[in-house]
Amino acid sequence: MNQVFAFDNISGILTCQAGCVLENLSHYLEERDFIMPLDLGAKGSCHIGGNVSTNAGGLRLLRYGSLRGTVLGLEVVLADGRVLNCLATLRKDNTGYDLKQLFIGSEGTLGVITAVSILCPRKPKAVNVAFLGCSSFQQLLETFQCCRGMLGEILSAFEFLDASCMNLLEKHLKLTNPITECPFYIVIETAGSNATHDEEKLHQFLEEVMTSSLVTDGTVATEATKIKALWSLRERVTEALTHEGYTYKYDISLPVEKIYDLVQDMRRHLGGMAKNVVGYGHVGDGNLHLNITSPSKDFALLAAIEPYVYEWTSQWKGSISAEHGLGLKKRNYIYYSKPSEAVALMGSIKAMLDPKGILNPYKTLPDNIN
Amino acid sequence: MSARVLVGVKRVIDYAVKIRVKPDHTGVVTDGVKHSMNPFCEIAVEEAVKLKEKKLIKEVVAVSCGPQQVQETIRTALAMGADRGIHVEVSGKDYETLGPLQVSKILAALAKKEEASLIILGKQAIDDDCNQTGQMTAALLDWPQGTFASELAFEADKLKVVREIDGGLETIKIKLPAVVTADLRLNTPRYATLPNIMKAKKKKIAMVKPADLGVDVSSRLEVLKVDEPPTRQAGVKVETVEDLVGKLKEAGRV
């Protein structure tokens, strides 16, 4: 089930089977001067059907939006075997309820996605990456505001990692820090249709943040090999963490100003129980990847982390799962981010679409739902 | 030491780009394609800047031959720490046919004009893979050469060069003035950091024409045709050894 059905290079709409690997779709599109609207570390193995089922976020969300906007149609097999053909290739269609939104992000609990039609953006002619260092999270946030203002429409990614992440990258993967040591690092990517225009904007932005001391150091890359090297500093943090033993991973959405407070609070709260408490992620989208490590799985540490981290998130009206979904492990914590009436309605929809409970049982919805 | 080092930097198609042959087979597509500094030239710049930081040489001058766009490449060298740049203007047909012989004549002329005592170049460019410019420049100047350098050190009045050769490593000592070409393991080029990129904008790039240096850039070579390498033929899977022998016999191999 890995065939591309069609690609229209005027509208940019791609229709394909759910089993297509994301990276293969990217290559297919790049040959035709387009790109997929999403990009993530697992691109070499993940299927587009899975991406849609989990409403995957990734590195390009800041620029192209979520799958809820870019997916135009789906073909879904329902629990009773009926094939729901909502595989439209229309940008605008307000005829009735938008059923596909039920299945996007439903983690396979309402139906099995078998085909996808998705809107793809043009491949940018010019991509630049800047790697910057800030001395405080506050300055990082101000840099983000400056970035939004001066780079505007060409901004395609704004990611961060902290000094602890950089130490792990250097220690385990022997990657070099391209700039001086700073408490926070930012990866900024711009993508546009005109290299000269983009470079001018980027250089003006960089001059501004350097002279105003929002940024203490940084470097820029325009060549593909250097761009890959700078991105790997953000993309390989997960890999570096695996070398530290057991990792407790949390994917949280919070108001942007509060993101790093959670990391610092966890450090205070856990004290010496945890070996590492690191923060990195899609700061531009308000999404923190909080990772904690210990040499081996420690139930006492786990008890100290959960439900403290969920309560903390709930207090600031954040999401306990920004992009990773609930699945098996977080399904019972749904109430930290959703009111009980909402969860009850989800249960009704599940009962209607899958009365026998055969689709991905024990996932997504909490155990105590009737 | 009041030594001045000349570093040649070439603007080439970025090594990560997929190369496509022009439909008329006269060359490869360069329009709108990402270009960057030749990786071996980056290593050469890094080495020169390192020598300056160790106070073994006084000034690093980055040189590039080509149209307006090569100034970007010179700016990158300046951002890495070179002091000033020289842009030798060559454009149009002359640029298309510019090769090691013409460039080495230009570099030799500049070395004399700038009173350089050391020229560091990349061992070869990744577009033509010629590996000739360094050697030709040394010959034109009648200077000693240390090519494929993986290590460089000043020892008294000589330059110790460890060269990567087929059999292993060869260590030679050469007198200055000399030409050195950089190999992969000589160093790891630094990232140009923002403060340096900003400073580089103020550094000078002088413009000069080959004629001003008394160099004739006309080429004695004519490119007849450029083709892609033949596509790899798909392999055939066989079920049994008998099938394999049969297929080999069919293909006349056995």
Side-chain angles (χ1 to χ4, degrees):
Chain A
M1 281 182 64
N2 59 359
Q3 298 305 307
V4 169
F5 288 138
F7 177 65
D8 177 342
N9 67 357
I10 294 180
S11 60
I13 299 174
L14 173 78
T15 317
C16 63
Q17 290 183 304
C20 292
V21 171
L22 183 61
E23 194 167 47
N24 293 347
L25 291 176
S26 292
H27 288 158
Y28 174 92
L29 288 169
E30 275 158 33
E31 278 170 28
R32 291 155 177 77
D33 217 29
F34 280 78
I35 52 169
M36 284 299 279
L38 80 164
D39 185 27
L40 35 133
K43 60 188 137 196
S45 53
C46 63
H47 298 162
I48 188 66
N51 290 144
V52 176
S53 237
T54 53
N55 191 22
L59 306 162
R60 287 188 189 146
L61 193 130
L62 187 75
R63 172 69 167 263
Y64 302 115
S66 85
L67 286 171
R68 294 197 180 282
T70 50
V71 169
L72 301 179
L74 292 178
E75 179 190 75
V76 182
V77 176
L78 303 175
D80 58 7
R82 278 181 294 162
V83 177
L84 187 68
N85 182 358
C86 287
L87 204 57
T89 49
L90 301 170
R91 194 75 178 76
K92 301 170 81 166
D93 179 8
N94 280 347
T95 53
Y97 303 151
D98 191 9
L99 294 177
K100 66 177 187 293
Q101 291 299 340
L102 266 180
F103 300 102
I104 299 174
S106 63
E107 304 179 40
T109 54
L110 297 177
V112 179
I113 296 173
T114 49
V116 177
S117 64
I118 187 165
L119 182 65
C120 303
R122 285 296 290 271
K123 183 164 81 172
K125 294 215 171 62
V127 175
N128 296 326
V129 173
F131 191 82
L132 309 175
C134 290
S135 57
S136 74
F137 199 69
Q138 181 54 32
Q139 290 187 320
L140 187 151
L141 292 176
E142 285 175 41
T143 307
F144 181 48
Q145 283 178 303
C146 188
C147 192
R148 266 269 165 77
M150 294 184 80
L151 295 178
E153 68 285 354
I154 63 167
L155 181 64
S156 63
F158 192 95
E159 301 279 316
F160 96 104
L161 52 139
D162 62 14
S164 318
C165 293
M166 183 59 80
N167 290 340
L168 293 176
L169 290 165
E170 289 172 320
K171 180 173 162 198
H172 295 297
L173 305 177
K174 308 281 177 261
L175 297 183
T176 20
N177 185 348
I179 58 177
T180 47
E181 247 181 76
C182 299
F184 295 97
Y185 302 96
I186 308 174
V187 179
I188 293 177
E189 186 188 77
T190 66
S193 53
N194 185 320
T196 340
H197 164 263
D198 287 7
E199 263 160 48
E200 205 183 302
K201 276 172 109 132
L202 186 58
H203 280 255
Q204 278 173 358
F205 161 71
L206 292 173
E207 212 169 319
E208 174 61 36
V209 292
M210 283 291 312
T211 42
S212 59
S213 297
L214 278 180
V215 159
T216 41
D217 198 2
T219 184
V220 188
T222 44
E223 303 97 45
T225 21
K226 291 223 172 66
I227 287 177
K228 262 205 193 89
L230 291 179
W231 262 119
S232 66
L233 291 166
R234 160 65 184 86
E235 289 186 302
R236 296 183 73 187
V237 175
T238 322
E239 193 192 328
L241 284 161
T242 58
H243 293 262
E244 286 282 309
Y246 186 83
T247 319
Y248 309 80
K249 301 174 100 47
Y250 299 92
D251 162 47
I252 313 272
S253 253
L254 284 170
V256 155
E257 330 75 68
K258 291 260 149 262
I259 282 181
Y260 210 69
D261 289 354
L262 177 53
V263 181
Q264 288 169 325
D265 220 45
M266 281 312 277
R267 281 192 187 128
R268 272 192 293 268
H269 177 74
L270 298 175
M273 282 183 84
K275 183 146 177 250
N276 290 292
V277 178
V278 311
Y280 63 99
H282 319 291
V283 65
D285 307 327
N287 184 190
L288 168 74
H289 289 315
L290 169 70
N291 279 233
I292 298 159
T293 73
S294 59
S296 55
K297 190 165 183 180
D298 180 348
F299 289 95
L301 176 57
L302 186 58
I305 300 172
E306 296 178 24
Y308 183 83
V309 66
Y310 298 136
E311 285 163 356
W312 204 104
T313 306
S314 186
Q315 188 193 15
W316 294 101
K317 301 205 172 27
S319 166
I320 56 152
S321 184
E323 53 180 7
H324 293 170
L326 296 170
L328 187 69
K329 289 170 114 179
K330 295 188 214 171
R331 69 196 192 284
N332 291 320
Y333 297 116
I334 193 174
Y335 295 105
Y336 282 103
S337 293
K338 285 281 183 322
S340 38
E341 305 80 37
V343 182
L345 188 54
M346 291 181 207
S348 309
I349 295 170
K350 168 75 172 173
M352 180 188 74
L353 286 173
D354 182 20
K356 297 193 186 144
I358 61 170
L359 295 177
N360 223 2
Y362 313 113
K363 308 279 173 61
T364 317
L365 294 180
D367 294 334
N368 64 1
I369 217 173
N370 9 350
Chain B
M1 249 220 172
S2 56
R4 178 172 293 133
V5 176
L6 222 59
V7 181
V9 294
K10 188 178 181 188
R11 180 175 182 264
V12 297
I13 295 179
D14 188 271
Y15 101 67
V17 169
K18 187 162 188 279
I19 308 291
R20 280 176 304 155
V21 174
K22 283 195 207 161
D24 63 3
H25 292 271
T26 55
V28 298
V29 177
T30 53
D31 272 341
V33 172
K34 192 85 222 190
H35 282 68
S36 50
M37 191 191 291
N38 181 38
F40 295 108
C41 297
E42 278 185 340
I43 298 175
V45 174
E46 176 64 27
E47 197 60 23
V49 174
K50 269 201 167 78
L51 290 176
K52 192 180 121 177
E53 284 170 347
K54 288 188 201 155
K55 301 214 198 302
L56 294 168
I57 55 125
K58 188 109 171 294
E59 196 188 27
V60 178
V61 183
V63 181
S64 195
C65 307
Q68 181 64 19
Q69 293 97 311
V70 307
Q71 292 210 2
E72 281 164 33
T73 314
I74 300 175
R75 287 263 168 241
T76 308
L78 295 174
M80 284 173 73
D83 298 293
R84 59 184 167 89
I86 300 176
H87 169 198
V88 182
E89 288 180 276
V90 181
S91 48
K93 202 83 194 43
D94 283 340
Y95 182 59
E96 279 171 40
T97 57
L98 193 69
L101 183 57
Q102 296 86 357
V103 174
S104 53
K105 286 180 184 171
I106 291 170
L107 291 176
L110 278 174
K112 289 197 190 122
K113 184 166 179 268
E114 297 288 333
E115 293 175 332
S117 43
L118 182 58
I119 300 178
I120 309 182
L121 306 176
K123 72 170 178 182
Q124 66 197 57
I126 59 170
D127 50 8
D128 55 24
D129 278 339
C130 284
N131 198 317
Q132 296 165 354
T133 310
Q135 292 86 337
M136 285 178 175
T137 310
L140 287 169
L141 289 164
D142 198 26
W143 287 4
Q145 55 187 262
T147 53
F148 306 96
S150 65
E151 231 183 274
L152 199 61
F154 278 86
E155 268 183 27
D157 58 338
K158 296 219 182 77
L159 202 56
K160 184 180 97 171
V161 184
V162 177
R163 306 179 58 232
E164 302 230 5
I165 60 171
D166 287 347
L169 298 172
E170 177 192 59
T171 308
I172 59 169
K173 286 197 192 155
I174 54 177
K175 283 196 193 148
L176 290 172
V179 176
V180 169
T181 71
D183 208 326
L184 197 62
R185 278 162 274 267
L186 183 58
N187 60 51
T188 307
R190 66 194 61 193
Y191 282 89
T193 55
L194 287 184
N196 290 327
I197 295 174
M198 300 295 151
K199 271 190 227 155
K201 287 194 185 154
K202 305 202 182 89
K203 292 181 182 173
K204 287 203 176 353
I205 299 180
M207 316 256 272
V208 73
K209 292 199 168 57
D212 302 339
L213 302 169
V215 174
D216 169 19
V217 288
S218 52
S219 178
R220 297 159 201 191
L221 298 175
E222 188 196 333
V223 172
L224 297 176
K225 194 166 181 243
V226 177
D227 271 320
E228 279 194 26
T231 42
R232 194 163 173 269
Q233 296 300 313
V236 176
K237 271 184 167 167
V238 292
E239 295 292 311
T240 67
V241 178
E242 288 77 29
D243 285 347
L244 175 60
V245 176
K247 286 253 183 269
L248 286 171
K249 282 192 174 153
E250 255 174 63
R253 304 289 194 160
V254 171

